[in-house]
Amino acid sequence: MRTQVGIIGAGPAGLLLSHLLHLRGISSVVLEQRSRDYVERRVRAGVLEQGTVDTLVEAGVGERLLREGLPHHGIELRYGGAGHRVAFEKLVPGRSITVYGQQEVVKDLIAARLAAGGDVRFEVEDVALHSLEPGLDSGPYLTFGGERLDCDVIAGCDGFHGVSRPAIPEGVLSVYERDYPFAWLGILARVAPSSEELIYTRTERGFALHSMRSPTVSRFYLQVPADTKAEYWPDERIWAELKARLESVPGFTLTTGEIMEKGVTPMRAFVAEPMQYGRLYLAGDAAHIVPPTGAKGLNLAVADVRVLTEALAAYFADGSTELLDGYSAACLKRVWRAQHFSWWMTTLLHTFEDDDPYGRRLQLSYLDYVTSSEAAATTLAENYVGLP
């Protein structure tokens, strides 16, 4: 088989790349290890930056997003017995976020690719990358399940545990990482949200986040020890702890209900650079991971794909490699800004066991500054909704 771009991974990055390339008249084949049902049900991120929403709408896959997504024009920082709203409409006029589950983005993209006759293959086994080295006369190719796919370029969009990044020879990549000493216990509940906007809560018991996925489904997170197992937390214990952390302001009552899903997410940061080697280009979690506090993972993947699409369009139009050569540097500028913002939000709102009373007072002092200074609040707002 032959295509212009071989794409590994049918998550948001791989599917969006395939769709954007299709709109430019560039052929691609998407290979995914998991089943279609699995990737369409996999609950992950749910906060879309303004630029992500704009990209999906401009690409013609935003109809359901605009109809069912929940636009938000602020978030609440809750600590010390009081809530403080960060007003996007005042601090960053014209820019907001939209709550719309990652699995819904994936459903929309799969539907669009199949409607356009796109080649998306699920449950593909034993994917391997070949002839990636720069300067080879022959192009790269992929093998899988006894078949071979020749292509001009390979895009590795298969996440942190995928096969793309390990295919780069040892010594090429520089890796930067940090593991946090806690995790998030996330739950999906069949219950109406208790707030119209996201609530980020800092308490002495630990961090909690009240989010949502629809008018009838809520998403919650609790800071828990790093070695926590979901089975340690029966439903009654989860609701009791969420109430203890979220019902910390007068008049707020948390609505409880059926928990449909629960799982533990490790808190870690990771960057591998450069994000390219020869004819292989990494995008999304294959190249970088951020702690979810800043809601940046999916949005970074979309930003990577925008840059890569423009670079590939220029290459296939006239053979220009300037944008492809600069792909990694262009992406990493945003990646490291998001890394810093995610680290900042994480350290601002979580409790750390090794913090002494001095460190905790510093944390509260900075929260006071962010919620009382328009300049500091603007920094949070413009990073949260996404830089242009």
Side-chain angles (χ1 to χ4, degrees), residues 30 50 52 83 108 117 150 156 162 180 212 238 244 263 269 291 312 354 364 379:
V30 181
Q50 183 70 58
T52 298
D108 296 341
D150 290 283
Y180 289 85
M212 60 285 293
I238 289 173
L312 290 171
D354 58 354
L364 292 171
T379 295

Side-chain angles (χ1 to χ4, degrees), residues 87-164:
F88 300 156
E89 72 273 13
K90 174 185 176 183
L91 301 168
V92 282
R95 301 180 68 78
S96 61
I97 60 167
T98 299
V99 175
Y100 189 68
Q102 175 174 312
Q103 72 275 19
E104 305 305 324
V105 174
V106 167
K107 291 175 188 175
D108 296 341
L109 288 168
I110 289 175
R113 293 306 301 122
L114 297 181
D119 194 343
V120 182
R121 304 186 181 206
F122 297 97
E123 300 181 80
V124 174
E125 297 181 352
D126 302 323
V127 176
L129 299 80
H130 308 271
S131 298
L132 303 175
E133 297 84 353
L136 292 181
D137 293 333
S138 60
Y141 65 95
L142 295 165
T143 56
F144 57 96
E147 299 189 63
R148 171 171 167 153
L149 174 65
D150 290 283
C151 39
D152 298 293
V153 169
I154 296 174
C157 306
D158 50 344
F160 181 77
H161 297 289
V163 300
S164 297

Side-chain angles (χ1 to χ4, degrees), residues 73-88 91 184 195 197-203 207-210 245-246 248-250 252 293-294 341 344-350 363-374 376-381 384:
H73 300 280
I75 60 172
E76 180 183 328
L77 299 182
R78 185 173 291 186
Y79 68 98
H84 307 265
R85 185 171 184 266
V86 179
F88 300 156
L91 301 168
W184 274 12
S195 169
E197 296 179 333
L198 278 71
I199 303 173
Y200 286 78
T201 302
R202 186 267 183 205
T203 76
F207 167 82
L209 172 61
H210 178 308
R245 299 187 194 186
L246 288 167
S248 55
V249 298
F252 180 85
T293 324
F341 177 67
W344 180 74
M345 287 284 284
T346 301
T347 55
L348 185 68
L349 294 163
H350 291 74
Q363 187 184 44
L364 292 171
S365 173
Y366 206 103
L367 278 165
D368 286 340
Y369 175 56
V370 169
T371 55
S372 62
S373 163
E374 184 170 317
T378 300
T379 295
L380 189 157
Y384 197 91

